[in-house]
Amino acid sequence: QVQLVDSGGGSVPAGSSLTLSCEVSGDTDSPYCMAWFRQAPDKEREEVAEFAADGRTTYSDAVKGRFTISKDNSKNTLYLQMNSLKPEDTAMYYCVAEFGICTTRIEDDGYWGQGTQVTVSS
């Protein structure tokens, strides 16, 4: 299993950039699918970006072209570079890891970070 620590959130004006980090510890030698989820007040939790064990990345339509997910294996850290932030990006952001390939069960079966708050003002 792994432990995840999220950081990098903050309060910024619209149009700004932020980079979230997720430091991974524990069984870092095993292959994991990693993802960023977010949840805004009174909204359902949604997956915004995914980084598969083979390096493939996917993005939700809401963030495609603005957010970039990446991973530094030497630092055991997952990143989410967020550009051109909008007020609707305001949410608690969570890093999630699922052992092996990416599946639809990552939300239920994955390991979760504690979350980091992103607030974007208009």
Side-chain angles (χ1 to χ4, degrees):
Q1 63 178 22
V2 292
Q3 296 78 44
L4 310 175
V5 178
D6 306 330
S7 64
S11 295
V12 296
S16 298
S17 298
L18 277 176
T19 299
L20 306 184
S21 299
C22 171
E23 188 171 344
V24 184
S25 61
D27 182 15
T28 57
D29 289 334
S30 296
Y32 284 91
C33 169
M34 301 200 69
W36 287 97
F37 280 74
R38 68 184 182 186
Q39 185 160 25
D42 300 323
K43 291 187 179 179
E44 288 191 6
R45 191 161 55 194
E46 62 172 335
E47 184 178 44
V48 297
E50 192 170 84
F51 193 102
D54 63 3
R56 286 178 293 175
T57 58
T58 57
Y59 299 91
S60 69
D61 289 342
V63 307
K64 196 174 295 182
R66 299 188 297 123
F67 289 12
T68 302
I69 189 171
S70 62
K71 189 164 176 273
D72 187 334
N73 290 325
S74 68
K75 297 181 179 180
N76 293 321
T77 302
L78 181 77
Y79 300 100
L80 185 68
Q81 172 68 42
M82 305 185 295
N83 298 328
S84 303
L85 282 163
K86 305 175 181 180
E88 50 263 44
D89 294 318
T90 295
M92 185 71 82
Y93 284 71
Y94 299 90
C95 172
V96 188
E98 177 185 30
F99 177 74
I101 63 172
C102 295
T103 75
T104 57
R105 295 201 55 80
I106 186 172
E107 192 169 358
D108 292 330
D109 294 346
Y111 300 97
W112 287 73
Q114 84 285 4
T116 185
Q117 177 68 38
V118 173
T119 303
V120 184
S121 58
S122 57

